[in-house]
Amino acid sequence: VLLWASLLVLAAPVSGPLAAVYKSVISVQPPWTTVFRGERVNLTCSGFHFYAQEKLQGYRWFSGKARPRETPGNTLEVRDSGQYRCQAPGSLPSNPVHLIFSSASLILQAPYSVFEGDELVLRCQKRGREKLAVVKYTWNRKIISGTDESFDLLIPKASLNNSGCYQCVGFLENAYVLKTSQINIQIQELFSRPKLEVTDSQPIEGKPVNLSCGTQLPLERPDTRLHFVFFRDNGVMISNRSGSPDLQITAIWREDSGSYWCGAETVTGGIHKRSLPLQIDVQRIPVSGVFLETQPQRDQVVKGETLVLVCSVAKGTGNTTFSWHREDTRESLGQKSQRSQKAELEIPVIGESHAGRYYCTADNGYGLIQSQAVNVTVRSIPGIKRSLVAGGTTGGSLSILLAVALLFYCWHQRKPGDGFQGDIIRRPLTVGPPGPFNPMCPAPVELQQLYINVHPRERDLVYSEIQISQPGAEGEANTFRTSLENQHVSVVYSEVKTQL
């Protein structure tokens, strides 16, 4: 509900249903509705150009039963008593203003319109040379003021309670008493009492709700600035003061149920008004469709890895309590309470003892609902772990490169003819007469037999073979022979232990 900046009335347009249109506004200068005969009053007509029942060339003026007249400007000077209205182009006729041009000796002057919060001035005026000695004012026939210093009655901030019948009583120096006619003064509302509206008074829990604090400004005061604030139950403020009459609650919960109301006040804080209370009952949906699933899937759980039990509900709002259990051991694994339709429980390291049947429950205050049980099997993966295999491959490649470089250096240090001889299936070899000792080359040692296509068990010792041949007689330096028949072959065995 938007803050209206003008007064809306209903009128029948040319066709279609009733529509909202805007009235013209008439103002008086000087501001008094009662003046002495012979004085002049200027009327001003203002419009908003939203709607015109008929096309007007100027401003139209109405006075009693007299024929309406138009003026090119929006002002009209009047000297006669009567009821006046005006109509601006694009607007409907204004509310009437009643002017009195009095021939009395004493008159009470009051403004044409007074709004709550305005300064209200009443002036007692006497015609002629004789002066008033004392002036008294009555309100609803009760004396409220008496002074000989000022003939004006001043109410700094008028309220609706100041409405009523006022009269002025004047005392002349010769003790003669004059009384004015009674004037009915109606203090107008600066803005109407706020009305709180809600998009849904029985919203589903967790859904957004919009609150609107609607009020209405008079057409004469369209620029009045207001602040709005929203409350719940016994004055619990749920919003800060704001120039916007709207409040959005992004998610409302069952504990937010209660009586809501809003307040509107002027920026200066002089006028405060509050709406009637509005009851909001938040509806909670019971949980249903409780389901348990595992990550990874129940038949793919690997020993040593992490198992996640996911408990979810198909329906249900509000704060839900989830709990996980083992069906075979009746063990309670854990519990969580949160505003969600899904919760997770993590088992960091799975072992064979974790195999079994699992289920979960959910409850949001309407009773415990249990899921179907899920059977979890735990399996082991034989062989080497990927991380160790990757590390062994990298380390083995580096070792082989270092061994090749070392053996190539040693081969250059040996004399031609020195070497080892062997068969296809290796036997323990006896090393021949050694050449000159080189500290960089290891001394020949007797090695164990090495068989082809050996499948080692855990931590078995495995031998690998590296052969380096000398260049041929023809000087083919880049050709290396690996045949065991070559008598100039250096054969070296290195030992490696498996990691598993």
Side-chain angles (χ1 to χ4, degrees):
V1 179
L2 296 178
L3 183 64
W4 293 354
S6 14
L7 178 63
L8 302 183
V9 297
L10 294 178
V14 177
S15 61
L18 295 180
V21 292
Y22 293 83
K23 280 187 175 182
S24 303
V25 175
I26 192 169
S27 58
V28 180
Q29 186 61 36
W32 317 115
T33 57
T34 302
V35 296
F36 289 115
R37 185 181 297 277
E39 295 181 341
R40 302 176 182 181
V41 173
N42 290 323
L43 303 179
T44 303
C45 188
S46 302
F48 292 88
H49 307 285
F50 288 115
Y51 170 84
Q53 202 167 10
E54 57 180 302
K55 188 174 181 181
L56 298 177
Q57 298 296 327
Y59 291 82
R60 180 173 291 179
W61 301 91
F62 306 87
S63 176
K65 296 182 180 180
R67 185 176 180 178
R69 57 175 174 170
E70 289 189 9
T71 60
N74 67 335
T75 60
L76 177 68
E77 183 181 270
V78 295
R79 301 181 182 182
D80 299 322
S81 299
Q83 184 172 278
Y84 293 87
R85 293 188 303 157
C86 76
Q87 182 179 6
S91 302
L92 288 179
S94 68
N95 292 328
V97 55
H98 188 73
L99 298 180
I100 299 175
F101 290 83
S102 177
S103 58
S105 299
L106 187 68
I107 61 174
L108 177 60
Q109 293 182 319
Y112 161 58
S113 64
V114 181
F115 290 92
E116 52 185 344
D118 288 352
E119 180 183 72
L120 173 59
V121 178
L122 299 180
R123 179 167 295 173
C124 197
Q125 290 281 72
K126 182 187 175 302
R127 182 198 294 268
R129 296 181 179 180
E130 291 182 282
K131 296 182 178 180
L132 296 173
V134 177
V135 173
K136 292 183 179 180
Y137 291 91
T138 64
W139 172 70
N140 295 336
R141 300 184 182 277
K142 296 179 182 179
I143 296 177
I144 59 174
S145 171
T147 177
D148 55 359
E149 297 180 357
S150 174
F151 297 155
D152 293 346
L153 174 64
L154 176 63
I155 301 177
K157 288 186 178 181
S159 67
L160 299 180
N161 295 330
N162 296 128
S163 299
C165 292
Y166 289 82
Q167 187 180 33
C168 170
V169 180
F171 298 86
L172 300 178
E173 292 180 352
N174 59 5
Y176 190 76
V177 179
L178 297 175
K179 292 184 179 180
T180 65
S181 301
Q182 290 189 350
I183 296 179
N184 185 30
I185 297 179
Q186 187 67 38
I187 308 300
Q188 302 181 59
E189 283 190 319
L190 183 60
F191 57 92
S192 62
R193 182 176 188 173
K195 182 180 180 181
L196 180 63
E197 295 185 353
V198 62
T199 52
D200 189 357
S201 61
Q202 293 184 332
I204 300 299
E205 193 173 29
K207 298 294 184 179
V209 169
N210 294 329
L211 301 176
S212 297
C213 191
T215 188
Q216 181 177 320
L217 290 174
L219 194 60
E220 295 86 348
R221 305 289 177 89
D223 55 347
T224 302
R225 294 178 57 197
L226 299 178
H227 280 166
F228 299 88
V229 64
F230 294 83
F231 300 88
R232 187 185 71 209
D233 297 330
N234 298 323
V236 179
M237 186 181 296
I238 61 174
S239 74
N240 295 323
R241 284 176 172 80
S242 169
S244 172
D246 300 323
L247 174 68
Q248 183 183 47
I249 302 175
T250 55
I252 194 167
W253 306 102
R254 190 170 66 173
E255 53 267 29
D256 296 326
S257 298
S259 179
Y260 287 74
W261 53 278
C262 70
E265 64 179 9
T266 55
V267 174
T268 58
I271 303 175
H272 310 262
K273 295 183 182 182
R274 58 175 290 178
S275 69
L276 294 174
L278 176 65
Q279 184 68 27
I280 297 179
D281 296 317
V282 183
Q283 307 299 307
R284 172 167 290 183
I285 298 179
V287 296
S288 61
V290 182
F291 181 73
L292 178 66
E293 59 180 333
T294 64
Q295 296 176 354
Q297 296 181 1
R298 53 189 178 180
D299 57 348
Q300 297 180 1
V301 181
V302 178
K303 179 180 178 182
E305 294 186 351
T306 299
L307 174 64
V308 179
L309 303 176
V310 182
C311 189
S312 60
V313 297
K315 293 183 179 180
T317 60
N319 199 44
T320 304
T321 300
F322 298 89
S323 57
W324 293 263
H325 308 269
R326 284 193 63 169
E327 187 180 62
D328 47 358
T329 63
R330 297 183 179 181
E331 178 186 0
S332 178
L333 304 177
Q335 180 176 292
K336 289 183 179 180
S337 184
Q338 58 193 49
R339 284 176 178 166
S340 174
Q341 291 187 329
K342 180 185 292 186
E344 298 180 353
L345 178 69
E346 183 178 290
I347 302 176
V349 181
I350 286 293
E352 295 179 354
S353 62
H354 290 98
R357 294 176 62 81
Y358 294 80
Y359 68 91
C360 71
T361 63
D363 181 16
N364 66 347
Y366 288 91
L368 200 68
I369 306 297
Q370 180 177 321
S371 72
Q372 292 185 351
V374 173
N375 188 48
V376 175
T377 58
V378 180
R379 60 190 182 90
S380 300
I381 298 180
I384 302 174
K385 292 185 179 179
R386 296 173 188 152
S387 59
L388 294 178
V389 170
T393 303
T394 305
S397 301
L398 181 60
S399 300
I400 292 174
L401 292 175
L402 294 175
V404 169
L406 179 61
L407 294 174
F408 187 74
Y409 176 77
C410 294
W411 173 73
H412 277 285
Q413 301 298 323
R414 294 182 180 273
K415 294 179 180 180
D418 292 342
F420 299 112
Q421 294 181 355
D423 301 326
I424 296 300
I425 297 179
R426 304 295 182 187
R427 294 178 175 83
L429 301 177
T430 302
V431 181
F437 174 74
N438 192 317
M440 292 294 296
C441 299
V445 294
E446 185 176 62
L447 303 177
Q448 300 294 327
Q449 293 181 353
L450 175 65
Y451 296 90
I452 299 175
N453 297 327
V454 175
H455 298 283
R457 295 187 304 274
E458 183 173 338
R459 300 192 180 279
D460 278 350
L461 193 63
V462 180
Y463 292 95
S464 61
E465 173 183 329
I466 300 175
Q467 298 178 355
I468 300 177
S469 300
Q470 291 183 3
E474 296 80 10
E476 298 176 356
N478 294 328
T479 302
F480 292 90
R481 300 185 180 93
T482 58
S483 172
L484 295 178
E485 298 176 355
N486 192 328
Q487 60 179 353
H488 303 299
V489 174
S490 298
V491 180
V492 177
Y493 296 89
S494 63
E495 60 182 28
V496 178
K497 286 189 177 181
T498 62
Q499 299 298 319
L500 294 178

